[in-house]
Amino acid sequence: TMRFGAGGFAIDGSLASVIKAYLTVQQSDSGLTWLPTVWPNIKVQMQLAMTNFDGGDGVIRVAQQNTYDTAMFGANTFIGSYYVTATRHRTSATYCSTTRYCTTWL
């Protein structure tokens, strides 16, 4: 188990998965065949981050357990940069707005 944070949830790993999905779509899924298979998981990961960590202002300040088996506290560039980049995945909703999988983020 993890020592800090929200019940063993490594936020950097979760957000990294969202970022990797975003990059995969940009680089090799122009036909949008893979994105629909992972979109429900991406959506859940972002819902967890946005509801459990973001206080509503786009900045994460609560304890942020990460894959280094430690926690960050307060606004910081480590988790903050992951969060900003992962929220950029929202733009993939614009990228694939013609599909029913991507018309809504949350």
Side-chain angles (χ1 to χ4, degrees):
T1 62
M2 297 184 173
R3 296 180 288 181
F4 305 101
F9 181 80
I11 190 168
D12 62 328
S14 174
L15 296 175
S17 295
V18 172
I19 294 165
K20 288 175 189 176
Y22 176 66
L23 292 173
T24 300
V25 168
Q26 281 190 321
Q27 294 172 354
S28 60
D29 192 32
S30 61
L32 300 175
T33 56
W34 177 75
L35 181 61
T37 66
V38 297
W39 187 258
N41 296 330
I42 292 168
K43 194 171 162 180
V44 167
Q45 293 302 312
M46 289 308 296
Q47 284 174 330
L48 286 170
M50 294 172 120
T51 57
N52 295 333
F53 293 92
D54 185 347
D57 61 356
V59 179
I60 298 175
R61 293 186 174 87
V62 298
Q64 306 139 42
Q65 176 66 41
N66 57 64
T67 56
Y68 294 105
D69 196 26
T70 187
M72 301 289 190
F73 296 90
N76 63 80
T77 56
F78 173 45
I79 302 300
S81 61
Y82 274 97
Y83 189 57
V84 167
T85 305
T87 56
R88 180 180 163 87
H89 197 301
R90 277 188 193 202
T91 62
S92 70
T94 302
Y95 173 69
C96 60
S97 61
T98 58
T99 69
R100 63 186 170 95
Y101 302 103
C102 308
T103 54
T104 58
W105 179 251
L106 296 174

